[in-house]
Amino acid sequence: MELSKLKCCFGTTAQFPVAMTKSEMICVAPPSFLFEQKLNVFLCWDRLRVSNSLQLDVGNSLSLSWRLHPSTGNDNGGTQVVIRGLASETAASTDAAMVGMRVDRCRFGQTEVAALPVAEDGSSIVCMTPPRVHTRVVSVHLLVPGLNGNILSVGTFEYHGELLLTSIYPTIGEANSPLTITIMGTRFESSVSVDANGYMVRFGKEIYFSNHATKTALLVFIPNPRPGNTTIEVSRNGMDFSNALPFLAVPAQDAVLSHIRPQWGGPEGGTAVTVSLLHMMPQFRIFDRCTCIYGAKTSLATWIDNRTALCYSPAHRSEQQEAVPFCFRCDKVRSECRTSTVLFHYTNNLRDIAIDPSFGAMLGGTVVTIRGTNPMLTFESACMFGTNTSILLQSSRTHVVCLSPPSPTSNAKPVSVIIAFDGFQHEFGEATFQYEPAATVYSLLPQQQALWKDTAVTVLGRHFSNTPQLVCRAGAA
């Protein structure tokens, strides 16, 4: 007799032994017989009975436990649930507890769906969950033809709302460098069961887990993000994933300087300098410690946004005017400050301001020349009369010529004159411009004269000023 063909027979069902020695054989009974009170067991060889029959009382000695994975899913259904029966007191193969059991359908609450085997030996089945009907937690049953009662309870399934991600922070990170991402969304309910490892986060093709969740946010640690664009998704059960949000991992790069404003300041220091970069820096980089370098001196920078920083000029060693190279450097990249084409000019402020004329009509239009020493004026200079910006007609290192704007108020009164260099306003309290009402003529005496002699004419009116700019013009002269 060929022992390799020797089987254990349970009625008309034969099973190969899972273990065998010279004195004993270990066999696993098919599940369809595990629910009977009495079981007849004998040995068979090639469908022939070769031993006596023994009756085994299994009513209280053997039971099944069930595993559902996942045991939670979305309210709209469609979750693939794998159901596996485990023989809790069988010392042999627990995965084989469902072998031989023919399951036609699964029932979630009161709704039945088809059941399909997912293992060749029939040790597990898969059922697609139907949409939620009423209660959030429903009982799950298997419909087994031939089983007493025809229905087998295997556990419960919990429905929940679909996860919806709204935003992530940061959206850009440094490649190959650890980072923590905050995922904002809805329905991170603490009352809903999640995987034992926590929420599952799919970062591109990688899977990570997070147990740090509130109702609206989730924290996940990414140890080594790969360069390039990827997406982030979240799942409670490892099968139903949320909507995807984009994330970009970029290599570390240096801050490339574009320009600074203003490019000048006093030797006492303290000038607020705005630094503009050529490229927008990733969000994670704005937490770097960056420095502005003025020649041999440094000043700590403060980020305004991803492309702009602010720093204050340090005091200069000399009262003399001098231009020093300017550089912007961040410590994390450890870049060297190369020879810079951007210069910062240390210079004294404007002195001896003179405005000519120092008055004009309230309607504007007066050509005003502003002179001073050490002006360091550039083509970006501008004039302001009070709160109104004027039109710049001419600019040089010694003076600017502006067209006065209309008066900022309805009353005739003096206003401060402000000169702006490279967007930096510099106000001089003693430099004022007097707005006056327009001259009005009421009558002339005499109103006529002989053609062959000169005649003195008296002009009667108001708002006349005794200045060289006041002239009389007759006809087209």
Side-chain angles (χ1 to χ4, degrees):
M1 179 182 298
E2 188 177 349
L3 295 181
S4 62
K5 295 184 178 181
L6 193 63
K7 300 179 181 179
C8 300
C9 291
F10 303 88
T12 58
T13 302
Q15 296 279 85
F16 279 107
V18 297
M20 182 172 60
T21 65
K22 292 182 179 181
S23 60
E24 63 179 7
M25 293 176 59
I26 300 176
C27 300
V28 178
S32 57
F33 291 94
L34 295 178
F35 306 96
E36 305 294 336
Q37 295 296 318
K38 303 293 183 180
L39 187 63
N40 291 321
V41 183
F42 55 90
L43 299 181
C44 54
W45 182 83
D46 197 18
R47 298 184 181 182
L48 296 177
R49 182 171 178 170
V50 295
S51 73
N52 60 317
S53 176
L54 297 177
Q55 191 176 67
L56 181 64
D57 186 359
V58 297
N60 296 318
S61 63
L62 191 61
S63 63
L64 283 180
S65 61
W66 301 91
R67 177 182 298 170
L68 280 68
H69 181 76
S71 59
T72 65
N74 292 335
D75 289 340
N76 55 5
T79 302
Q80 292 186 349
V81 179
V82 177
I83 303 175
R84 174 173 297 175
L86 303 177
S88 59
E89 297 182 14
T90 302
S93 176
T94 59
D95 288 343
M98 293 185 65
V99 176
M101 181 185 295
R102 185 169 63 88
V103 179
D104 287 342
R105 303 181 70 77
C106 302
R107 177 183 294 173
F108 292 82
Q110 300 299 320
T111 306
E112 295 183 3
V113 294
L116 299 173
V118 293
E120 294 182 358
D121 60 0
S123 61
S124 58
I125 61 169
V126 63
C127 298
M128 192 80 71
T129 61
R132 175 180 171 180
V133 178
H134 296 295
T135 59
R136 184 165 62 88
V137 180
V138 297
S139 57
V140 182
H141 296 83
L142 300 181
L143 278 64
V144 185
L147 182 65
N148 290 341
N150 194 38
I151 298 177
L152 184 62
S153 177
V154 295
T156 59
F157 183 84
E158 185 176 11
Y159 284 100
H160 53 67
E162 184 176 2
L163 287 176
L164 177 63
L165 305 187
T166 56
S167 63
I168 61 174
Y169 181 85
T171 58
I172 303 175
E174 184 174 344
N176 305 316
S177 180
L179 76 154
T180 299
I181 298 178
T182 301
I183 305 173
M184 305 298 294
T186 60
R187 302 185 183 134
F188 290 125
E189 300 95 336
S190 57
S191 60
V192 175
S193 301
V194 296
D195 188 278
N197 294 316
Y199 283 91
M200 179 181 290
V201 179
R202 186 158 59 191
F203 185 80
K205 296 182 180 181
E206 306 293 332
I207 296 295
Y208 302 97
F209 292 92
S210 172
N211 285 306
H212 305 284
T214 65
K215 289 185 177 181
T216 58
L218 181 72
L219 296 179
V220 61
F221 177 73
I222 309 297
N224 189 31
R226 298 180 180 179
N229 291 287
T230 188
T231 57
I232 292 180
E233 303 167 271
V234 178
S235 173
R236 293 188 185 94
N237 56 24
M239 300 187 70
D240 300 319
F241 282 86
S242 67
N243 58 307
L245 295 180
F247 181 86
L248 174 63
V250 297
Q253 60 181 1
D254 197 3
V256 182
L257 181 63
S258 173
H259 60 271
I260 61 174
R261 287 293 181 270
Q263 288 186 252
W264 68 278
E268 70 278 4
T271 301
V273 178
T274 301
V275 181
S276 298
L277 303 181
L278 190 62
H279 305 291
M280 184 173 293
M281 299 298 290
Q283 288 176 326
F284 66 87
R285 290 294 308 281
I286 66 175
F287 299 105
D288 290 354
R289 183 181 182 275
C290 299
T291 305
C292 297
I293 302 177
Y294 298 77
K297 294 188 176 182
T298 61
S299 173
L300 188 64
T302 302
W303 286 99
I304 299 176
D305 55 37
N306 292 46
R307 199 170 180 173
T308 312
L310 178 69
C311 60
Y312 292 89
S313 64
H316 194 45
R317 62 180 179 272
S318 172
E319 293 292 330
Q320 300 296 325
Q321 298 187 79
E322 183 181 1
V324 298
F326 179 92
C327 181
F328 185 77
R329 182 176 66 186
C330 294
D331 292 346
K332 187 169 184 179
V333 181
R334 301 182 184 279
S335 60
E336 294 298 329
C337 209
R338 303 177 182 87
T339 302
S340 176
T341 59
V342 177
L343 299 177
F344 182 83
H345 299 266
Y346 280 101
T347 182
N348 294 314
N349 295 331
L350 283 171
R351 299 194 305 268
D352 304 327
I353 303 300
I355 300 179
D356 183 31
S358 59
F359 62 91
M362 294 183 62
L363 296 179
T366 303
V367 178
V368 179
T369 300
I370 305 173
R371 300 179 182 275
T373 58
N374 298 328
M376 288 298 298
L377 301 179
T378 70
F379 65 92
E380 296 185 17
S381 300
C383 305
M384 294 188 68
F385 289 69
T387 57
N388 291 344
T389 303
S390 69
I391 298 176
L392 180 66
L393 301 179
Q394 184 181 351
S395 175
S396 72
R397 292 181 57 84
T398 59
H399 69 277
V400 292
V401 180
C402 300
L403 194 65
S404 67
S407 173
T409 65
S410 59
N411 300 323
K413 63 179 184 179
V415 297
S416 298
V417 177
I418 303 172
I419 300 180
F421 301 101
D422 298 333
F424 180 80
Q425 293 184 2
H426 215 70
E427 183 174 351
F428 309 95
E430 295 182 358
T432 59
F433 182 83
Q434 176 68 50
Y435 277 102
E436 297 180 348
T440 304
V441 177
Y442 291 151
S443 62
L444 300 176
L445 294 175
Q447 295 185 353
Q448 59 183 0
Q449 66 177 9
L451 295 177
W452 59 85
K453 65 177 181 179
D454 295 333
T455 303
V457 178
T458 301
V459 182
L460 301 178
R462 59 185 301 183
H463 303 312
F464 297 151
S465 299
N466 186 17
T467 64
Q469 286 76 27
L470 183 62
V471 295
C472 295
R473 185 174 61 183

